[in-house]
Amino acid sequence: MAKPQFNQEHILTQASSAFWRFGYHATSMQHVFAATGLKPGSIYLAFGNKEGLFKASLDHYTQQSLLRIRNKLSQSPSVEQGIFDVLMEFVNESCQADYCSCFLVKSQLELGSHPELLQYVSTRLKQIETLYCEFLQQNHPIEEAQIKATSLMLHIFGIRVYGYHSQSKEQILSALESSLPWLPWTKLKH
Amino acid sequence: MAKPQFNQEHILTQASSAFWRFGYHATSMQHVFAATGLKPGSIYLAFGNKEGLFKASLDHYTQQSLLRIRNKLSQSPSVEQGIFDVLMEFVNESCQADYCSCFLVKSQLELGSHPELLQYVSTRLKQIETLYCEFLQQNHPIEEAQIKATSLMLHIFGIRVYGYHSQSKEQILSALESSLPWLPWTKLKH
DNA sequence: AACTATTTTGAATGATCATTCAATTATTTG
DNA sequence: CAAATAATTGAATGATCATTCAAAATAGTT
């Protein structure tokens, strides 16, 4: 064997970041070579082709997202409080200068006409919904948990799009409070 | 003058359709030439460059969307009923085989790192929100109308993303009913 | 009919795209 | 240390990209 294989974590971090910010089509392999400092052959040996690298990037992002949500919901005094905190994080992200929404949501819309990648993205978004649903089942019958989880995903998708509008934080918060009354808003009011 | 200028409506219909379905980066000018049957020079003379054609396509789509919503809300017995009907149309669209979400929402996410086009898209999405808000002011004080309009946009954005999941119609409807209780759901229940 | 103004044509351009592969380098194995 | 094995290199490839422009065609004007 030659030099042990390059750091896959490093390249996936860089590739995810590029695909996330610029999208699948606007990110060229040459950009990836430049960002990672690696040569074409290395990346093609490890990931096969651009699609393979993209899938691995999606996986990397999804695992981090699932972990982040799981930690937040586990460590909160209640599931509702944890969900509320996660939502607030999403809203606050949208205020940052380099905001670039959610990698999975962006990919879902960009690759709507690419059945294989679309399926790959949809599966991962469903994993996230399932995670919320599992936590909600601690407090609610499964049917209600499922409805709340779907409603939550609709709102999260909405935030991911609406967040691009400038100075939207207060508007988003008021709207969320009106349509998600089962979250613990009281501590923020007045 | 030569032959009167080609039918701009026709080319914008074709170009919008391509940009909408495949996105800005995945739609090449060669695709547009093939779809319209026109030669490069004609299109470049009329629209300047790809960005110009894209902006004109966005405008074309936006004007049609505003017209469609305005008609629906004007002809309904109440604003709430009109909004409900529009939402149901969006949900039903997501069941079709060739579903491709909303051109503006897709563009907003794809062009997040292109400030000029991002601004162009955001302005048009805000126009749609303003239209809803104006109609809602017939029944509600302006503050409440604005919150309802923003909540509506969040939900519409959510539907536009969630719609890609297969067999999602019933789930979406249940979730919408739970988070938009001010819409006239009763006639559908039981 | 001749002239002018404008549009259309379509081949060509250089840039950038994803991808390949023979040669080189590095590591493990015998 | 030598042989075998595997990873890395980076220049090169053909395809496709957005865009250009000189020439041809068409319509209005005199």
Side-chain angles (χ1 to χ4, degrees):
Chain A
M1 206 196 292
K3 195 193 299 178
Q5 218 172 356
F6 55 76
N7 188 347
Q8 287 230 0
E9 173 69 19
H10 171 247
I11 176 178
L12 284 180
T13 301
Q14 299 296 121
S16 292
S17 170
F19 282 132
W20 181 3
R21 175 167 305 281
F22 302 109
Y24 179 72
H25 289 100
T27 301
S28 71
M29 292 303 283
Q30 275 82 358
H31 291 152
V32 175
F33 306 148
T36 58
L38 291 164
K39 309 298 167 181
S42 304
I43 292 181
Y44 274 84
L45 184 77
F47 299 99
N49 54 24
K50 185 180 181 181
E51 219 173 287
L53 177 61
F54 185 70
K55 285 182 177 178
S57 300
L58 284 172
D59 259 334
H60 186 256
Y61 177 92
T62 305
Q63 294 312 315
Q64 289 201 183
S65 297
L66 287 170
L67 194 66
R68 176 179 166 195
I69 296 167
R70 209 191 317 269
N71 283 344
K72 200 75 177 176
L73 297 199
S74 300
Q75 292 164 9
S76 286
S78 74
V79 174
E80 272 77 6
Q81 184 64 51
I83 289 176
F84 180 83
D85 291 347
V86 170
L87 270 189
M88 289 308 107
E89 283 185 15
F90 291 162
V91 174
N92 286 329
E93 273 177 26
S94 77
C95 302
Q96 292 177 2
D98 60 346
Y99 176 65
C100 55
S101 189
C102 162
F103 185 20
L104 289 169
V105 170
K106 291 182 73 170
S107 300
Q108 170 109 293
L109 291 192
E110 182 180 359
L111 302 164
S113 54
H114 187 310
E116 189 191 338
L117 288 179
L118 182 64
Q119 168 73 20
Y120 205 82
V121 174
S122 286
T123 301
R124 274 141 193 85
L125 281 172
K126 272 290 174 195
Q127 283 177 24
I128 294 178
E129 178 170 346
T130 299
L131 182 62
Y132 286 123
C133 189
E134 284 168 3
F135 272 95
L136 283 164
Q137 285 181 57
Q138 294 176 9
N139 303 345
H140 304 283
I142 187 167
E143 296 84 4
E144 195 184 334
Q146 182 57 65
I147 290 177
K148 281 182 157 50
T150 299
S151 171
L152 199 56
M153 293 302 281
L154 281 176
H155 284 89
I156 291 170
F157 293 160
I159 294 169
R160 294 317 205 171
V161 178
Y162 207 98
Y164 277 106
H165 298 201
S166 52
Q167 292 177 331
S168 54
K169 183 174 177 179
E170 293 308 319
Q171 261 182 293
I172 291 181
L173 289 178
S174 299
L176 288 178
E177 184 171 358
S178 78
S179 54
L180 292 172
W182 50 277
L183 290 182
W185 293 94
T186 45
K187 68 167 193 175
L188 274 192
K189 298 190 69 172
H190 309 304
Chain B
M1 204 195 291
K3 196 192 304 179
Q5 218 172 354
F6 55 77
N7 188 345
Q8 288 232 359
E9 172 69 19
H10 170 247
I11 177 178
L12 283 180
T13 301
Q14 298 296 121
S16 292
S17 170
F19 282 131
W20 181 2
R21 176 166 304 279
F22 302 109
Y24 178 73
H25 289 100
T27 301
S28 71
M29 291 304 283
Q30 276 83 356
H31 290 151
V32 175
F33 306 148
T36 58
L38 292 163
K39 310 297 166 181
S42 303
I43 292 180
Y44 274 84
L45 184 77
F47 299 99
N49 54 23
K50 186 181 181 181
E51 218 172 289
L53 177 60
F54 185 70
K55 285 183 178 178
S57 299
L58 284 172
D59 258 333
H60 185 257
Y61 177 91
T62 305
Q63 292 314 314
Q64 289 200 186
S65 298
L66 287 171
L67 194 66
R68 175 179 165 194
I69 296 167
R70 208 190 318 269
N71 283 344
K72 200 75 176 176
L73 296 199
S74 300
Q75 292 164 8
S76 286
S78 75
V79 174
E80 271 76 7
Q81 183 63 51
I83 289 176
F84 180 83
D85 292 347
V86 170
L87 270 188
M88 290 307 108
E89 283 185 15
F90 292 163
V91 173
N92 286 328
E93 274 176 26
S94 77
C95 301
Q96 293 177 1
D98 60 345
Y99 176 65
C100 57
S101 189
C102 162
F103 185 21
L104 289 169
V105 170
K106 292 182 72 170
S107 300
Q108 170 109 291
L109 291 192
E110 182 180 359
L111 301 165
S113 55
H114 188 311
E116 188 192 339
L117 288 179
L118 183 65
Q119 168 74 20
Y120 205 82
V121 175
S122 287
T123 300
R124 274 141 192 86
L125 282 172
K126 272 291 175 197
Q127 283 177 24
I128 294 177
E129 178 170 347
T130 299
L131 181 62
Y132 286 123
C133 189
E134 283 168 3
F135 272 95
L136 283 163
Q137 285 182 58
Q138 295 176 7
N139 304 344
H140 304 284
I142 186 164
E143 296 84 4
E144 194 185 334
Q146 182 57 63
I147 289 177
K148 280 181 158 51
T150 298
S151 171
L152 199 56
M153 293 301 281
L154 281 174
H155 284 90
I156 291 170
F157 293 160
I159 294 169
R160 294 317 205 171
V161 178
Y162 206 97
Y164 278 106
H165 297 203
S166 53
Q167 280 158 355
S168 54
K169 183 173 177 180
E170 293 308 319
Q171 260 181 295
I172 291 182
L173 289 179
S174 299
L176 288 179
E177 184 171 358
S178 78
S179 54
L180 292 172
W182 49 277
L183 289 182
W185 294 94
T186 43
K187 66 166 193 174
L188 275 193
K189 299 190 69 172
H190 310 305

